[in-house]
Amino acid sequence: MSTSETSRFVRLRVDLVLEVSDSDALTGAALERIAQDEYMPDEERAHAGAAVREDEAEALAYLVDPFDLVSDVPGVELAQASWSSEPIEYDPDSVEWDLDEEDGEER
C-alpha cells in the first residue's frame, strides 16, 4: 500500500498512573483553572468546582489537556481527543501493571 493510500490519521494511546502527593495543590490548581475559564457558564463552573473538591481524579481531568501533549509536535494537528481519569488501586509490583506485557518483553 502506497503512502497516498494509507490513512493520514494516527491514534496515540497513552496510559498514565499518577500519584497525588499534594491533594490541596492539585485541587487548588484545578479550581483556579475553572475560575479562569472565560467560556464556562456559571452553572457549569459551580458544578465543576464541586466535583473537583470531592474527587482528585476530577481535579486532574481539569488540568490535563491532550492538546498540550501534541501542540508543539511539528507536522500534526489534533483532530479529536477524549480523556478521563479515575482513582485506582495500584501495586507497581503486580503483574497486572507490567506495561511491557503487551510487547511480549520482560523487564
Side-chain angles (χ1 to χ4, degrees), residues 29-46:
L31 290 171
E32 187 174 319
R33 169 78 56 92
I34 291 166
Q36 293 175 355
D37 186 342
E38 61 189 55
Y39 300 108
M40 187 180 292
D42 289 339
E43 185 176 310
E44 184 180 339
R45 188 182 320 277

Side-chain angles (χ1 to χ4, degrees), residues 13-75:
R13 295 179 193 245
V14 178
D15 192 14
L16 303 170
V17 176
L18 305 172
E19 180 180 0
V20 176
S21 59
D22 188 339
S23 180
D24 292 338
L26 174 64
T27 300
L31 290 171
E32 187 174 319
R33 169 78 56 92
I34 291 166
Q36 293 175 355
D37 186 342
E38 61 189 55
Y39 300 108
M40 187 180 292
D42 289 339
E43 185 176 310
E44 184 180 339
R45 188 182 320 277
H47 175 72
V52 161
R53 285 182 189 92
E54 292 176 17
D55 186 352
E56 294 168 341
E58 286 288 332
L60 187 60
Y62 276 97
L63 294 171
V64 174
D65 184 347
F67 177 76
D68 293 341
L69 297 174
V70 297
S71 62
D72 292 333
V73 176

